[in-house]
Amino acid sequence: MDVTVAQLKELFQNQYIAAQMPDGDPAIDLLDPAAQTLLLPYWLDPAMPKPALARFHEYFRYGRESRLAASASGPCGPIRTWPVPPDCPQVHGNRGTFNLLFQQVFTGDLVWLFYFERMGIHRMVGALLDDFVSRGKFPLRPAGLTGLVLEVMVRELKAGLSSTVRERDTSYRRCLGWTSEAGGKLSNDAPVNATFDEQFHRLVYLALGYYQEKRLAVAIQNTTNAGKPSVATLTSIRDTVVLLRKAFDPFKYGRNHTHTLSGIVWTLAGLDLIARLRTQLGVPDPYNREDELIPAAYDLLISGGKPSDRNRFTMHRDCAVTGRDILLDVQGMDFEDATPAVPAEGAIETWLDEVEPKFETYRTGYKAMTGVDLGQSGAVIAQRA
């Protein structure tokens, strides 16, 4: 039976509500005052570029919006809220394939953080802070909103409250089975979630094969409506989704949620800081867009002025966003809740048709980064721990 996009969206929304209330209480996600200060530019600056503001709103809102509306209810019954001061940033953003509301971070958001770290955002922030504190190569003044953010970052580092390489790498290993370039140099004995790594890349491989089968069937039958991949392919994808959802479990425990949220705050603050300091860094005036600014800043701060032949911002952002959205969708696929009106096979097929651009974009971005084609059998995963 065919499943409509509207039915699929409703199924996902119900699962998201349940996932955010696994034991009747939401996870604690209040930000400390220093973290709130790092996000102040997104609240105070009316000239904040639209792409940056849209990315911020994927995760946070300011004002009296409650983290989970007290009047809302879901499969777990009435949803209660944690008390939040009225003008603090709260985890309250719309993202994913269907732009649904999330009031918590998930495994998919950790994937988003991983690729932004791989882009070099945290390394660039570290270079800026090192220059601000000791080197003095760039004219970084402790004044205004930018000076405030720089000073708070330095104090967070000194106090041991910042987002650290070890904390992020621990969560990458425990939840994704991955390690960052910096994390790979540490002696980190955190357990590695090899199941997530295996099943996520199996899902990507099977989905890309599904699209290839469908295009081939359409070409053979010469009609856009006749092409149907095999039932075996859909069954394999469904089984992989079930195993992948189980591999999300490690994210629920320990400080993985906190490490992810802190890393996202520092990533957003870092992106804004780099943009505000573009003149001091010597980034050419015509480089206004992020896909121009971030690679230029990386060349100046990290690679010693040697330009790359690939756009590190675009390829990492594409993997971050599409990987996150695919995994947030998988978070909503609980086939135990499937009904005759929304059968599992129909839901899988509708979803695959809806997210084809995301899988193809992830494949393209990953190949640009690593040279590895995830559509090929036996692909070697570069970030595997």
Side-chain angles (χ1 to χ4, degrees):
M1 179 183 293
D2 291 338
V3 175
T4 67
V5 173
Q7 288 175 313
L8 188 65
K9 184 176 179 179
E10 182 179 1
L11 175 68
F12 283 11
Q13 181 66 85
N14 289 337
Q15 288 305 315
Y16 294 146
I17 292 173
Q20 291 172 134
M21 299 287 291
D23 301 309
D25 279 320
I28 299 174
D29 63 6
L30 298 184
L31 302 176
D32 61 72
Q36 295 171 26
T37 303
L38 298 184
L39 297 176
L40 272 179
Y42 290 94
W43 184 31
L44 296 177
D45 186 358
M48 178 68 66
K50 289 183 179 179
L53 195 60
R55 184 169 50 235
F56 172 80
H57 282 150
E58 288 177 339
Y59 288 101
F60 300 105
R61 289 291 189 277
Y62 273 98
R64 295 181 178 274
E65 300 159 298
S66 61
R67 215 179 57 81
L68 288 171
S71 61
S73 63
C76 303
I79 297 177
R80 295 180 285 121
T81 65
W82 291 91
V84 188
D87 288 319
C88 292
Q90 303 145 34
V91 180
H92 184 102
N94 295 81
R95 56 192 183 275
T97 299
F98 302 105
N99 200 36
L100 298 174
L101 176 64
F102 292 88
Q103 293 104 349
Q104 185 176 321
V105 291
F106 291 102
T107 304
D109 300 304
L110 184 60
V111 167
W112 182 95
L113 174 61
F114 174 85
Y115 281 114
F116 269 91
E117 176 169 357
R118 195 183 189 283
M119 186 190 296
I121 300 304
H122 292 265
R123 286 188 69 190
M124 286 189 277
V125 169
L128 282 171
L129 297 182
D130 183 49
D131 191 86
F132 181 62
V133 172
S134 58
R135 299 185 65 186
K137 178 181 177 182
F138 303 108
L140 307 179
R141 297 183 64 244
L145 193 55
T146 303
L148 174 64
V149 170
L150 283 168
E151 182 60 31
V152 169
M153 283 183 165
V154 170
R155 294 187 184 194
E156 285 279 277
L157 280 167
K158 289 180 177 292
L161 299 175
S162 65
S163 175
T164 67
V165 171
R166 182 173 292 277
E167 287 180 345
R168 295 191 301 272
D169 189 64
T170 295
S171 289
Y172 297 152
R173 288 171 179 268
R174 290 178 61 185
C175 303
L176 310 179
W178 299 352
T179 186
S180 63
E181 181 181 352
K185 300 173 183 177
L186 302 175
S187 298
N188 195 332
D189 59 357
V192 174
N193 187 357
T195 303
F196 173 89
D197 175 67
E198 177 184 348
Q199 297 304 324
F200 173 61
H201 290 105
R202 176 171 171 77
L203 175 62
V204 174
Y205 172 74
L206 290 173
L208 294 171
Y210 167 89
Y211 300 130
Q212 181 64 27
E213 275 188 40
K214 190 168 185 178
R215 286 191 290 267
L216 183 60
V218 169
I220 291 173
Q221 300 187 35
N222 198 30
T223 168
T224 57
N225 296 318
K228 281 284 186 179
S230 69
V231 174
T233 300
L234 289 172
T235 301
S236 294
I237 291 174
R238 172 184 169 168
D239 292 344
T240 301
V241 165
V242 171
L243 293 173
L244 180 56
R245 291 186 83 250
K246 291 179 180 177
F248 290 166
D249 283 351
F251 187 81
K252 301 175 184 177
Y253 305 109
R255 300 194 79 239
N256 294 310
H257 181 276
T258 302
H259 293 166
T260 302
L261 189 60
S262 176
I264 290 171
V265 169
W266 274 72
T267 299
L268 293 173
L271 285 164
D272 178 70
L273 187 64
I274 293 165
R276 290 178 183 278
L277 293 174
R278 48 169 302 177
T279 301
Q280 291 89 330
L281 296 178
V283 175
D285 288 339
Y287 290 10
N288 293 315
R289 301 195 317 266
E290 286 181 321
D291 61 335
E292 300 168 328
L293 169 62
I294 297 301
Y298 186 90
D299 292 341
L300 290 167
L301 287 167
I302 306 299
S303 62
K306 299 176 183 178
S308 171
D309 58 350
R310 297 174 297 170
N311 190 309
R312 65 182 310 104
F313 178 83
T314 301
M315 59 189 182
H316 285 94
R317 178 206 55 198
D318 287 350
C319 283
V321 174
T322 57
R324 176 196 66 189
D325 289 355
I326 289 166
L327 289 166
L328 288 178
D329 289 349
V330 171
Q331 192 92 40
M333 290 190 209
D334 187 349
F335 296 124
E336 293 179 1
D337 276 6
T339 66
V342 189
E345 287 74 12
I348 282 282
E349 194 167 357
T350 299
W351 175 68
L352 286 169
D353 291 342
E354 193 72 14
V355 298
E356 180 176 359
K358 293 185 183 293
F359 276 106
E360 293 291 355
T361 299
Y362 188 88
R363 175 191 198 173
T364 301
Y366 195 84
K367 187 174 183 180
M369 282 191 305
T370 65
V372 175
D373 185 355
L374 295 176
Q376 299 297 317
S377 178
V380 178
I381 307 306
Q383 69 269 30
R384 183 171 288 156

